[in-house]
Amino acid sequence: LSSQEQEQRTAAKRDQLLLQQAQQNSAQKSSTRETEHEIGRLKEVIAQLRNNKNSKVQEVSAVLQEREALRARVEALVGEVDALRRHGEEQGEAIRKHGELAQLHEGATRA
């Protein structure tokens, strides 16, 4: 082969290698863009999950506060019911005693 043909072959091989490198670089850039896009999408998902978590924490906190308020109200109502029950028992006892006194009085007036 002549030196000119060898130079042409060498140049063709060099051009082919440069073309392959350019194609690889292009594929890497495309892959990098896709990866960057995926990273951006994942960051958005993470931010949404954090917001949802914060919302759930606030919901749970509100439910717990409401539960404590209801518990306090129930305890207050139980106290009121107990007081009313005691008062009712006292009234029942007074009525019973009044009945006994009435019977004694009635017996005493007959005698």
Side-chain angles (χ1 to χ4, degrees):
L1 292 176
S2 71
S3 65
Q4 188 178 9
E5 287 175 337
Q6 285 179 343
E7 284 178 23
Q8 285 176 346
R9 282 188 177 178
T10 304
K13 285 181 182 179
R14 186 186 69 231
D15 290 346
Q16 188 178 8
L17 285 174
L18 289 173
L19 179 62
Q20 286 176 348
Q21 285 178 343
Q23 288 172 340
Q24 287 175 348
N25 287 343
S26 176
Q28 286 175 345
K29 285 180 183 177
S30 176
S31 176
T32 299
R33 280 192 299 274
E34 289 172 5
T35 301
E36 288 172 350
H37 176 73
E38 185 66 14
I39 288 171
R41 194 182 70 74
L42 290 173
K43 284 181 179 180
E44 288 176 16
V45 168
I46 289 169
Q48 289 174 351
L49 290 172
R50 283 186 180 142
N51 288 338
N52 288 344
K53 176 187 160 195
N54 290 340
S55 295
K56 291 293 180 189
V57 166
Q58 290 172 348
E59 273 183 54
V60 167
S61 178
V63 167
L64 288 175
Q65 287 176 347
E66 185 177 334
R67 186 173 128 190
E68 288 302 315
L70 288 171
R71 176 179 284 145
R73 180 69 180 134
V74 166
E75 288 174 1
L77 289 171
V78 166
E80 288 179 32
V81 167
D82 284 344
L84 289 171
R85 181 185 48 77
R86 284 190 305 275
H87 181 70
E89 288 173 356
E90 290 169 0
Q91 282 186 332
E93 182 67 19
I95 290 170
R96 187 182 62 74
K97 286 182 180 178
H98 180 66
E100 288 177 9
L101 285 173
Q103 287 177 353
L104 288 174
H105 180 67
E106 193 177 303
T109 54
R110 287 188 188 164

